[in-house]
Amino acid sequence: MKRGTYILVVGPTGSGKNTLINAAREAVPGLAFAVSATTRPMREGEVDGVNYHYITREEFMRRVEADEFLEWAEYGGNCYGTLRSEIETALSKGNLILSDIEVQGVRLIREKLPREEYAVVYVDAGSWENLVPRILARGHMSAEDLEKRHQRYLDEASFMAEADYVVENHDGKLDEAIQEFIAVVRKIGE
Ligand code: 5GP
């Protein structure tokens, strides 16, 4: 049976990745979403087992030891990991499975999976100057935290050239970005 494809969606915070992913989940039948495990606290509106599996650091490290993660990374002081079982089940059934992941994780997955089993989609929301107002609109952030985000932005942005697909999500063009993202997901699934 033909194996499925793992779609890795990368992009800086504030790029609107989540909005695009949610739209694709509604529009593309059979598209699975990989629910990662994380040690970060649940945010308002999130649901355990839907957005993430929220676990303690002890439990996270137990799973690392048990080799349950295809990859894991520390980001902003919290751990995030992709569950091997979830990805393998989808790929073996020939399904499309998508996850929202930062660049360290993508680099690890590229080393582990055969080239034909994954595709990297980068969501580009323009320059750092363009993103700052979007990030600040989500709530107050110290100058130090903003600088950390900036460093991460530079790391993520440098990844754009390595992506298989780039979807532009510029201000005021959300509908176009959603349509383009859905088209890319469908194309990967063909
Ligand atoms: P947030 O805390 O805002 O949900 O996510 C923070 C960052 O962690 C985002 O860039 C997201 O893409 C990344 N992330 C979420 N799940 C995983 C995962 O399983 N592995 C890795 N490496 N990064 C993840």
Side-chain angles (χ1 to χ4, degrees):
M1 186 185 183
K2 187 179 173 288
R3 302 259 299 166
T5 311
Y6 185 20
I7 305 176
L8 301 155
V9 185
V10 198
T13 29
S15 64
K17 267 187 304 188
N18 287 325
T19 309
L20 301 187
I21 290 172
N22 289 337
R25 287 173 78 179
E26 280 184 21
V28 185
L31 173 66
F33 180 74
V35 182
S36 297
T38 185
T39 62
R40 90 143 157 73
M42 203 187 291
R43 290 188 194 132
E44 211 181 312
E46 291 182 340
V47 178
D48 190 18
V50 174
N51 302 90
Y52 286 104
H53 300 289
Y54 300 87
I55 61 177
T56 62
R57 195 168 268 266
E58 291 68 39
E59 173 64 9
F60 196 97
M61 288 308 155
R62 190 196 64 71
R63 293 187 185 200
V64 170
E65 289 299 312
D67 201 24
E68 288 183 25
F69 295 120
L70 183 60
E71 64 75 37
W72 70 276
E74 195 144 0
Y75 179 99
N78 295 302
C79 299
Y80 296 84
T82 307
L83 292 159
R84 193 184 288 282
S85 57
E86 224 159 301
I87 305 302
E88 187 44 38
T89 305
L91 294 182
S92 66
K93 287 185 185 159
N95 291 342
L96 269 187
I97 184 158
L98 178 150
S99 79
D100 162 3
I101 187 172
E102 50 66 67
V103 292
Q104 304 170 70
V106 179
R107 292 191 174 111
L108 290 167
I109 285 173
R110 284 197 307 198
E111 289 168 15
K112 291 192 178 167
L113 291 185
R115 186 65 191 92
E116 65 279 10
E117 291 193 5
Y118 69 89
V120 181
V121 182
Y122 184 90
V123 180
D124 175 33
S127 67
W128 173 246
E129 287 68 30
N130 202 42
L131 277 181
V132 170
R134 290 201 202 180
I135 293 171
L136 293 179
R138 290 187 190 166
H140 174 75
M141 189 177 284
S142 67
E144 194 187 330
D145 282 343
L146 195 61
E147 182 46 32
K148 275 192 203 148
R149 295 269 176 141
H150 186 199
Q151 290 311 316
R152 276 194 225 128
Y153 167 83
L154 295 173
D155 194 24
E156 305 259 338
S158 71
F159 204 79
M160 186 156 75
E162 296 174 46
D164 299 307
Y165 300 89
V166 175
V167 172
E168 308 280 348
N169 185 17
H170 291 163
D171 280 341
K173 301 258 194 248
L174 183 61
D175 286 346
E176 286 92 326
I178 287 175
Q179 293 317 317
E180 195 188 334
F181 185 77
I182 290 171
V184 164
V185 169
R186 290 207 170 109
K187 187 165 194 310
I188 293 169
E190 275 170 5

